[in-house]
Amino acid sequence: MDINKLQQSVFGNKERIVTGVALIAVLLIVIAINNFYLIWAILGIAYVAGLFEVSKLFEIENKSFILVLGVIIWLFTLTTSHIILISFIPALIVASYKAYKNEDMKDVLPFVYPTISMVVFLALYKEFGIVSIVWLIIVVAFTDTFAYFTGKYLGKTKFSPTSPNKTLEGVAGGVIAGTIFGSVAGLYFNGFMYALVLSFLVSVFSVFGDLFESYLKRKADVKDSGNIFPGHGGILDRLDGYLFGVIILYVGMKLV
């Protein structure tokens, strides 16, 4: 392995490193505080920012309407114990209105992605606690990190035309790492096989969450979903794997 090449890949972008360290620090503080209203507020900010970014990717003209409805949705998550049910209503309302006006349905899309995933994120925390969020973070973070380095140094076989930089070897390395490290965290909730299987499924779907975001950006002909994080892009660039993985983890935990 070329040590110089490794050093350049890790330390070559100082802006990206600084932002990454800052994000990790904030994450650790939030986990340590472990307060529902703080996490609700942070997820809400991330959700509204994600709505704005995805509205640009879908080329939606009336962004103000999307954002206002998104804020209303998030406020309603404080009023009911049935959080998941909230996520389906706005898509139904917008789809009904668009059908009545005989207009294009693309305004519905932001209320599917990322709305449902963000509401599920909050439900996961509310029902299973901060450890479930830590489990999710471990699986997705290790999947993403090991996929990058495995693909960079061992990758040869292209994984998908949607994301030309992804390799099959990189994906395999990421899924293996995410599954192994995630299984350790999952032992808090159940036995080893349960933790292993669910970590594997979350890892796999996190890869496709990342791929889906790449698909949206390729269709919109943009490099990043936004520029809120220097060196890292937008909120959806940081959450893409989590937005698919969180649904699998939540469903898997509810079924057991």
Side-chain angles (χ1 to χ4, degrees), residues 4 30-31 33 49 53 57 61 69 93-94 99 111 121 131 153 163 167 176-177 190 192-193 208 239:
N4 290 330
V30 171
I31 290 173
I33 294 174
E53 291 179 0
L57 294 178
E61 294 181 3
L69 187 53
I93 293 173
V94 176
F111 298 108
F121 223 122
V131 179
Y153 295 102
S163 183
T167 65
I176 290 171
N190 213 315
F192 176 73
M193 285 305 299
F208 284 96
L239 292 180

Side-chain angles (χ1 to χ4, degrees), residues 96-117:
S96 299
Y97 176 76
K98 290 296 179 178
Y100 172 74
K101 299 289 288 184
N102 193 29
E103 294 178 351
D104 189 277
M105 286 287 175
K106 64 182 179 181
D107 286 17
V108 178
L109 298 178
F111 298 108
V112 177
Y113 177 90
T115 295
I116 293 176
S117 293

Side-chain angles (χ1 to χ4, degrees), residues 28-40:
L28 292 175
I29 292 171
V30 171
I31 290 173
I33 294 174
N34 188 20
N35 177 271
F36 172 79
Y37 293 102
L38 175 62
I39 290 177
W40 174 84

Side-chain angles (χ1 to χ4, degrees), residues 24-206:
I24 292 172
V26 171
L27 178 63
L28 292 175
I29 292 171
V30 171
I31 290 173
I33 294 174
N34 188 20
N35 177 271
F36 172 79
Y37 293 102
L38 175 62
I39 290 177
W40 174 84
I42 291 173
L43 287 176
I45 293 170
Y47 169 51
V48 174
L51 277 181
F52 179 75
E53 291 179 0
V54 86
S55 295
K56 291 195 297 182
L57 294 178
F58 291 138
E59 298 180 337
I60 293 173
E61 294 181 3
N62 195 357
K63 296 180 180 62
S64 297
F65 169 75
I66 301 296
L67 296 179
V68 169
L69 187 53
V71 170
I72 293 172
I73 294 166
W74 203 253
L75 290 174
F76 265 106
T77 61
L78 284 176
T79 67
T80 177
S81 58
H82 303 290
I83 295 177
I84 298 298
L85 300 181
I86 296 294
S87 66
F88 299 107
I89 296 175
L92 186 66
I93 293 173
V94 176
S96 299
Y97 176 76
K98 290 296 179 178
Y100 172 74
K101 299 289 288 184
N102 193 29
E103 294 178 351
D104 189 277
M105 286 287 175
K106 64 182 179 181
D107 286 17
V108 178
L109 298 178
F111 298 108
V112 177
Y113 177 90
T115 295
I116 293 176
S117 293
M118 294 303 295
V119 174
V120 170
F121 223 122
L122 184 63
L124 179 71
Y125 170 72
K126 188 174 183 180
E127 295 182 37
F128 297 103
I130 196 66
V131 179
S132 66
I133 301 298
V134 173
W135 185 6
L136 176 68
I137 292 171
I138 288 174
V139 174
V140 178
F142 275 95
T143 299
D144 187 52
T145 301
F146 276 79
Y148 173 78
F149 284 107
T150 305
K152 190 173 186 65
Y153 295 102
L154 300 177
K156 294 181 180 179
T157 310
K158 296 297 183 183
F159 178 67
S160 167
T162 301
S163 183
N165 292 329
K166 276 187 172 56
T167 65
L168 185 60
E169 293 83 2
V171 169
V175 169
I176 290 171
T179 300
I180 292 173
F181 287 98
S183 296
V184 176
L187 290 174
Y188 178 87
F189 294 99
N190 213 315
F192 176 73
M193 285 305 299
Y194 165 83
L196 180 73
V197 171
L198 191 48
S199 294
F200 170 76
L201 291 174
V202 172
S203 180
V204 169
F205 276 90
S206 75

